[in-house]
Amino acid sequence: MTFRSKLFWVFTLALLLSVGLIAAGVMVVTQRAFEDLNQQHSDALVAQFQREFERRGQDIVHRVQGIADAEPTVRMAIDLSRPKSDVSIYVNDARGVSHAHQLDILDFAANDGSIISSAEWPARFGYKLSWVTQQEDWAARGSFLTKVETPEGPTLALMSVATVRVGDNNLYVAGGQRLGKEFLASLVLPTGMRALLYLNLDRAYQPANLLDSNGPANDAERFAPILEKEQQQPGQQTAKINWTSDPASAEIFHALPLLGRQKELLGVLLVGNSQREIAIVENRIIWLALAVVGIGLLIGLLLSWWGAARVTRPVRNLAEGAREVAAGNWNAHVDVRGGGEIGQLGRAFNQMTQQMSEQRERLVQSERVAAWREVARRLAHELKNPLFPLQTTVENLQRAKEQRPEQFEEVFRESTGILLSEIENLKTITDRFSDFSKMPQPELAAVNMNEVVRSAVKLFEAQFGAVGRPPITPELHLQEDLPAIQADSALLHRALENLILNAMDAMPAGGVLMLRTTNNNGKVHLEISDTGTGLTPEECDRLFTPYYTTKQHGTGLGLAIVQSVVSDHGGRISVESETGVGTSFHIELPSQPARRAQTIPSIFEKEKGKEG
Amino acid sequence: MLRRLAAISLGIVLLFAAPRVETARRPRYGGVLRVEIEAAVSSLEPTRGVKDLEVSGAKRQFDALIYDRRNTDGTFSSVAGSGLFQIAEWEPGKHATLTANENAPGGRPFVDSIQIQMGRAARDMLLDLELGKTDLAEIPVEQARRAVDRGVRVSVSQPDELLALVFPAGRAGTEDARMREALAAAIDRASIVNFILQKNGEAAGGLLPQWSSGTAFLFSTAADAVRAKELWTQMPKSAKLVLGYDLGDPLEQSVAERIVVNAREAGIPVMAQAISGAGATAMAASGDIDARLMRLRMPSPVPRVALMNFLAALSPVTKIDASPLPDPASPQDIYDRERAIVSSYCVAPLVWLPQVYGLSARVRNWIAPGPGETWPLADVWLDGPAEAASEKEKR
């Protein structure tokens, strides 16, 4: 992945992350705001309910007290205080009075609690309303919630009790209003909210006892968990009901326990808050956020692309320059504008390549000079040997001509023999130089390296154990399953010969020549080690320089040829050596040579080029 | 002439709800008697071939006023106008004006005419009585006391209508006689009489009233909640019993609700349910009713006749023994049959209801009709304005 791509993705991810975080933050803040709003609505409704409850309670207290204070009630009380009073004439009174005072529940009860007249259940006359006689001070009690028996079954009512005392007898007036759908319908609710009332008339949860403003609530079974929890532990609770898989259908219900006189749970008010509006707004926010994110991403991507391109252009130029340098173009120059680290880097790069180019030029010059010197020295050395006999022979001929003409013929024959021999030497020397300059291109074919090694070693077997020379012991460690490589076996054979010759020269006192082949991940690795005198590090550094030799009669071309062969096969050669221990050459050859390795043109080729 | 003599001889009339002695007055002819009734009669054609006892009450009153001759079986046989009054105006189901027949057998009625308003609600009739807009109207027995309290003259007949709890045969809920007995024992009849009927009526233990049979006291009317509870606990658990009552009868509704309360106290689950119509036909049509209230009006003060009539009405529903009693039947025969039926608990007599009539201050010589009798409108006369005002002031 390019730096530009990385930078682009970094910008993009950073943008995504930022936008995502902002969107999430907005969502969370919005959701919390809505939750707070919901809570406020619910609290307001609960407070409204409590106020309404108190207001109605006070209203009922006033109405019941009004009934108790009314003249007919007082007369009834007086009548009832008389011995053997006839209470039957009052049996229907409660109904009319309750209608007049808009009470659902109204009972007149005698001093012993027996019902004289009942509005909600007229047929219940004569039976005891025992709880009215238990409370000591009804006036102080005010209104309260209680369970009331009706012909339809028990129900909840907000009640108040007033007493009319005549002598030692009390007439109890117990009146109130049912807590049911009418009460719920009278609550003014904000849009999206609703109130339900559960009448806790049974031990177990009864769905039929859950009412809304229209009567029994729909899907009342869904409220079972919250109401059962409320039955077990009364208190304000909150629960969410998802009516369908659509989040907009959800409602959050706040449960408010309604307690009776003995703090028993008589009912539960459920204030439901629809999540529809919130879901709609949340959806809008999500879509808006997605749109913003989309647009932002698009713009961000374009900006990232542009920014990455702008930022990486100098870097890419630098990389291109570095690649050019790596390819040998040390004159590479990058176009860097502006300041900053990248600009400094570009300028430093340009300065570096310029300096490297100059140094290389200088190095090439010095190497060229050194090489020419070495060539000159080697040529002089090589040529000096045959030239000296040539000179001596010619001088002998001259001397013989002048001083001993009679022997001249004999001297001439000997001298011409010597001259021809030395001239032959000179020709040999020039041929060797010519051969090196004309190294052929490898002709590739499938080659088993082990075969090449065995062939080369076999060539030298006679010399290893030659008489008058300390023996050299060859050791072959050849991996059998070595893969075949595409190579020129003749060139490899030649290179191997040079290395073996070098090793033999390095072991004048004999030793061990070890050749090892191994498969190194598809590449063939060849190691040639000797137990000879070894090389110094300086010698190692210059070992592959043409015409460099440490031997008295070497041409300095052997290892240069080896390096040339290895290089032509796309391989690598290295040397390890320790003085007094031995030297190891490591050659690594690929199974298939890559394109021809680009090497720095030889100084000779350069010279040729200049000449050409 | 006979009527005049009778009027003179009955110059002093004792009215049930007005325990005062009427001062003797000379009967007065003339005036328009305004009558309001709850029923709506749609036809004045004589109900030929149908026994008088089986004709609805209101129609029978009309028949008695406008027809004269009767057949031997009691049905009317003559033409309209041959009776005490002639039809002057007739609006079926709403209004009728009858004028006195000058040639009526036994003499001309005292009043010149009778204006009858039909289909009037009990509340409206009571209001009209209070306001002096009518002279004679029916008053529901449960409202008699309130009417008196509101200054209305009332006339109360002897209790001649039985309100009973009837158990239809074949209902699983009440198939076992102990179930029926439990429910019957749970009912507090005294409370029904004292509170619902406002002491107008009598608790009923037998199928005939005390004044008729003389043996009613032998039947217990006391509630026994302990016994009811004990009996009920012996029964397998069952669904709520359904107690039917006539949708248009407030008294039945009140009694039914009271029975529900009584039963509930005894641990018997009962549910009151209104059904349309009354009598055996309605009951037969109400297949899901375990018990229902029925009103049985005595057609005759004669015990045997009344009992046989009741049995004939109840037999189709309860499958009780309706075989004829010996004629004449001894009191023992009648008591034995009554006892057998009551002991089967197929019928639980509850209360005896009287008929209550509201009268205006000017109405004179009204005697509440007994079982099988028609309204004695021909014998009624009206005070003049001065006497009526004086009478009203006295009241």
Side-chain angles (χ1 to χ4, degrees):
Chain A
M1 187 181 281
T2 62
F3 177 58
R4 182 177 176 174
S5 299
K6 285 178 183 172
L7 204 58
F8 169 73
W9 283 114
V10 166
F11 283 165
T12 304
L13 287 174
L15 187 73
L16 266 175
L17 200 61
S18 306
V19 173
L21 283 172
I22 290 168
V26 168
M27 288 295 295
V28 168
V29 168
T30 308
Q31 201 154 16
R32 282 190 184 164
F34 275 114
E35 283 171 2
D36 289 345
L37 197 62
N38 274 342
Q39 189 63 46
Q40 286 172 12
H41 278 175
S42 300
D43 291 346
L45 192 65
V46 168
Q48 181 193 345
F49 173 81
Q50 285 169 335
R51 282 196 303 274
E52 183 68 14
F53 207 68
E54 285 175 16
R55 190 192 66 74
R56 291 204 179 189
Q58 289 170 0
D59 187 38
I60 287 168
V61 168
H62 287 311
R63 289 185 195 191
V64 172
Q65 192 59 51
I67 293 169
D69 293 341
E71 181 61 25
T73 312
V74 175
R75 271 196 274 118
M76 186 194 299
I78 293 169
D79 193 14
L80 291 174
S81 68
R82 293 189 182 110
K84 295 185 181 177
S85 61
D86 182 7
V87 298
S88 65
I89 57 172
Y90 303 111
V91 73
N92 293 317
D93 284 12
R95 232 182 312 192
V97 176
S98 68
H99 286 157
H101 289 80
Q102 295 180 326
L103 293 174
D104 302 320
I105 313 291
L106 183 62
D107 293 302
F108 291 107
N111 193 51
D112 61 352
S114 59
I115 297 170
I116 296 167
S117 179
S118 173
E120 72 280 4
W121 201 349
R124 205 156 169 250
F125 54 83
Y127 287 97
K128 290 281 176 64
L129 204 64
S130 55
W131 58 269
V132 293
T133 60
Q134 293 169 1
Q135 183 78 20
E136 67 287 353
D137 187 1
W138 286 112
R141 181 80 184 121
S143 64
F144 55 89
L145 195 65
T146 190
K147 189 156 74 173
V148 176
E149 298 290 338
T150 68
E152 299 81 27
T155 189
L156 287 190
L158 189 57
M159 295 283 289
S160 176
V161 177
T163 53
V164 183
R165 190 165 186 83
V166 176
D168 294 333
N169 292 324
N170 279 329
L171 171 66
Y172 296 100
V173 182
Q177 289 179 333
R178 287 173 195 257
L179 217 58
K181 61 178 186 178
E182 294 81 8
F183 179 77
L184 293 173
S186 71
L187 294 175
V188 181
L189 301 174
T191 306
M193 299 189 82
R194 63 170 173 150
L196 296 100
L197 180 67
Y198 178 68
L199 309 178
N200 190 38
L201 305 172
D202 300 277
R203 283 182 181 276
Y205 171 67
Q206 299 293 332
N209 289 349
L210 184 64
L211 308 174
D212 61 16
S213 57
N214 298 317
N218 295 327
D219 295 323
E221 296 80 8
R222 299 289 300 274
F223 294 89
I226 184 171
L227 289 171
E228 284 171 350
K229 194 174 173 186
E230 197 68 39
Q231 283 177 324
Q232 290 164 5
Q233 193 174 2
Q236 290 203 22
Q237 295 179 35
T238 302
K240 186 176 183 179
I241 295 180
N242 292 306
W243 296 108
T244 65
S245 56
D246 181 8
S249 71
E251 277 184 291
I252 292 177
F253 287 94
H254 297 263
L256 179 70
L258 304 176
L259 305 178
R261 287 181 296 124
Q262 312 297 329
K263 303 299 177 194
E264 73 278 21
L265 182 71
L266 292 176
V268 180
L269 179 75
L270 292 166
V271 179
N273 204 341
S274 172
Q275 299 298 290
R276 181 169 297 281
E277 292 298 321
I278 294 172
I280 289 170
V281 173
E282 279 184 353
N283 269 342
R284 282 182 188 162
I285 290 171
I286 287 171
W287 282 111
L288 191 63
L290 286 176
V292 169
V293 167
I295 293 168
L297 274 180
L298 189 64
I299 294 171
L301 287 174
L302 293 173
L303 286 175
S304 299
W305 187 257
W306 176 78
R310 188 176 172 78
V311 169
T312 58
R313 188 185 302 142
V315 178
R316 281 188 289 114
N317 288 343
L318 281 169
E320 187 62 30
R323 271 197 296 275
E324 284 186 36
V325 170
N329 180 14
W330 290 19
N331 291 319
H333 181 84
V334 295
D335 183 18
V336 179
R337 295 172 190 171
E341 292 83 350
I342 299 293
Q344 290 175 9
L345 182 62
R347 282 190 288 276
F349 179 84
N350 286 338
Q351 191 177 356
M352 178 191 76
T353 54
Q354 187 181 355
Q355 287 177 356
M356 282 174 65
S357 182
E358 289 171 0
Q359 285 178 358
R360 174 178 168 275
E361 194 61 34
R362 283 196 296 274
L363 181 64
V364 167
Q365 286 292 339
S366 59
E367 278 190 350
R368 189 181 297 150
V369 169
W372 276 116
R373 279 182 182 156
E374 187 63 28
V375 170
R377 186 184 71 78
R378 184 52 51 188
L379 275 174
H381 178 75
E382 290 292 326
L383 293 175
K384 195 185 285 179
N385 287 339
L387 282 177
F388 183 71
L390 283 175
Q391 185 182 0
T392 308
T393 305
V394 172
E395 286 174 354
N396 283 339
L397 276 175
Q398 286 176 339
R399 200 177 300 123
K401 178 89 180 193
E402 290 172 359
Q403 296 175 2
R404 286 176 290 191
E406 71 280 10
Q407 293 177 342
F408 178 75
E409 191 63 31
E410 185 182 355
V411 171
F412 179 75
R413 281 196 305 273
E414 289 177 2
S415 294
T416 53
I418 292 168
L419 285 173
L420 286 172
S421 172
E422 290 305 322
I423 288 169
E424 188 63 30
N425 282 341
L426 282 172
K427 191 181 175 187
T428 302
I429 290 167
T430 55
D431 284 346
R432 279 158 59 189
F433 277 90
S434 178
D435 286 348
F436 177 67
S437 66
K438 292 177 183 175
M439 282 291 291
Q441 286 297 313
E443 293 177 4
L444 301 179
V447 173
N448 187 325
M449 197 63 193
N450 289 343
E451 294 300 321
V452 177
V453 171
R454 287 191 189 99
S455 169
V457 171
K458 194 172 184 180
L459 193 65
F460 290 94
E461 271 180 353
Q463 296 179 42
F464 290 153
V467 179
R469 175 191 173 99
I472 292 173
T473 306
E475 288 183 4
L476 299 183
H477 302 280
L478 305 179
Q479 188 172 331
E480 288 306 317
D481 57 347
L482 208 60
I485 59 170
Q486 290 292 318
D488 187 326
S489 60
L491 289 177
L492 289 180
H493 196 274
R494 185 177 171 187
L496 206 52
E497 282 178 24
N498 284 342
L499 289 171
I500 293 171
L501 278 172
N502 268 1
M504 289 174 68
D505 290 344
M507 294 185 289
V512 176
L513 175 65
M514 192 275 288
L515 290 103
R516 184 194 305 275
T517 58
T518 52
N519 180 1
N520 185 16
N521 294 326
K523 294 178 179 177
V524 172
H525 181 259
L526 172 64
E527 180 186 354
I528 301 167
S529 302
D530 63 53
T531 55
T533 53
L535 298 167
T536 63
E538 292 75 21
E539 289 171 338
C540 286
D541 287 343
R542 300 189 62 190
L543 205 56
F544 297 106
T545 305
Y547 309 115
Y548 174 77
T549 183
T550 57
K551 293 180 283 190
Q552 187 65 29
H553 300 289
T555 61
L557 292 174
L559 289 178
I561 289 169
V562 171
Q563 187 190 35
S564 176
V565 169
V566 170
S567 176
D568 286 348
H569 283 80
R572 289 191 303 148
I573 184 169
S574 60
V575 62
E576 292 176 352
S577 184
E578 190 176 344
T579 307
V581 176
T583 304
S584 294
F585 287 90
H586 297 273
I587 295 171
E588 192 172 75
L589 294 170
S591 60
Q592 180 75 41
R595 57 186 180 134
R596 191 175 176 81
Q598 290 183 345
T599 56
I600 299 171
S602 83
I603 52 176
F604 301 109
E605 284 172 350
K606 276 210 165 184
E607 288 301 313
K608 282 178 193 171
K610 279 181 183 177
E611 287 167 5
Chain B
M1 183 58 70
L2 286 173
R3 183 159 291 106
R4 286 178 185 173
L5 289 171
I8 293 167
S9 63
L10 295 171
I12 299 172
V13 176
L14 181 67
L15 289 175
F16 193 89
R20 295 181 296 110
V21 177
E22 292 273 349
T23 53
R25 283 205 183 115
R26 185 182 297 275
R28 178 177 175 273
Y29 283 89
V32 177
L33 179 66
R34 298 161 301 176
V35 178
E36 292 184 5
I37 59 174
E38 190 175 359
V41 178
S42 56
S43 171
L44 292 180
E45 288 298 312
T47 46
R48 298 176 192 280
V50 180
K51 286 187 177 179
D52 184 34
L53 297 179
E54 296 173 359
V55 178
S56 74
K59 179 66 170 63
R60 198 154 58 87
Q61 303 302 335
F62 273 99
D63 286 349
L65 291 174
I66 62 178
Y67 298 108
D68 177 30
R69 288 194 295 275
R70 292 182 182 228
N71 297 323
T72 52
D73 62 359
T75 60
F76 291 99
S77 62
S78 57
V79 295
S82 64
L84 297 167
F85 292 90
Q86 294 173 329
I87 302 168
E89 293 174 8
W90 171 245
E91 194 177 354
K94 291 184 178 176
H95 171 75
T97 301
L98 307 178
T99 55
N101 185 1
E102 298 292 340
N103 303 315
R108 179 190 184 277
F110 290 114
V111 296
D112 291 339
S113 65
I114 305 174
Q115 289 182 346
I116 303 173
Q117 298 288 333
M118 294 175 280
R120 299 288 288 167
R123 187 185 56 190
D124 295 337
M125 289 191 287
L126 189 57
L127 200 60
D128 286 349
L129 282 169
E130 286 182 57
L131 297 173
K133 289 184 176 178
T134 190
D135 297 310
L136 174 64
E138 297 167 311
I139 294 177
V141 62
E142 68 272 18
Q143 292 188 20
R145 189 167 178 178
R146 187 166 292 267
V148 172
D149 291 344
R150 287 157 71 172
V152 176
R153 282 175 68 199
V154 296
S155 168
V156 182
S157 73
Q158 285 180 314
D160 61 354
E161 189 174 17
L162 176 64
L163 180 64
L165 186 61
V166 179
F167 296 94
R171 291 289 302 169
T174 53
E175 190 64 31
D176 194 316
R178 287 176 298 175
M179 286 187 176
R180 303 193 295 269
E181 185 185 354
L183 187 55
I187 299 169
D188 181 4
R189 293 167 176 78
S191 287
I192 294 173
V193 171
N194 290 333
F195 286 85
I196 296 175
L197 300 178
Q198 294 286 295
K199 300 184 175 175
N200 287 308
E202 292 174 4
L207 293 171
L208 294 171
Q210 176 65 22
W211 64 263
S212 173
S213 67
T215 57
F217 70 95
L218 296 173
F219 295 93
S220 172
T221 59
D224 190 348
V226 176
R227 169 76 177 152
K229 206 175 286 187
E230 182 187 329
L231 285 168
W232 190 256
T233 52
Q234 296 170 9
M235 299 292 105
K237 293 286 178 191
S238 64
K240 269 188 178 179
L241 297 178
V242 180
L243 170 59
Y245 62 88
D246 186 357
L247 178 66
D249 191 334
L251 175 61
E252 280 194 22
Q253 181 179 353
S254 298
V255 173
E257 288 173 355
R258 181 63 182 180
I259 291 172
V260 170
V261 175
N262 289 152
R264 184 172 173 270
E265 292 299 318
I268 305 171
V270 178
M271 180 180 72
Q273 181 176 308
I275 54 176
S276 59
T281 311
M283 177 175 280
S286 305
D288 56 347
I289 301 296
D290 296 306
R292 78 148 294 170
L293 294 173
M294 277 185 79
R295 288 192 192 217
L296 299 163
R297 185 88 179 265
M298 287 177 71
S300 166
V302 179
R304 179 183 174 279
V305 176
L307 183 59
M308 288 308 299
N309 191 267
F310 286 172
L311 297 183
L314 293 170
S315 177
V317 179
T318 60
K319 311 298 181 193
I320 57 175
D321 177 19
S323 58
L325 287 163
D327 189 14
S330 68
Q332 186 64 47
D333 294 336
I334 293 170
Y335 172 76
D336 289 345
R337 179 63 67 88
E338 255 190 295
R339 173 58 71 186
I341 291 166
V342 170
S343 298
S344 72
Y345 295 102
C346 293
V347 179
L350 299 178
V351 286
W352 284 104
L353 309 172
Q355 310 304 313
V356 182
Y357 306 90
L359 306 172
S360 70
R362 63 177 188 157
V363 173
R364 290 284 174 260
N365 200 34
W366 165 266
I367 298 172
E373 295 177 351
T374 56
W375 293 5
L377 296 181
D379 298 332
V380 168
W381 78 79
L382 300 172
D383 275 343
E387 291 98 339
S390 170
E391 182 66 22
K392 203 168 184 179
E393 279 179 15
K394 283 180 189 173
R395 293 182 66 83

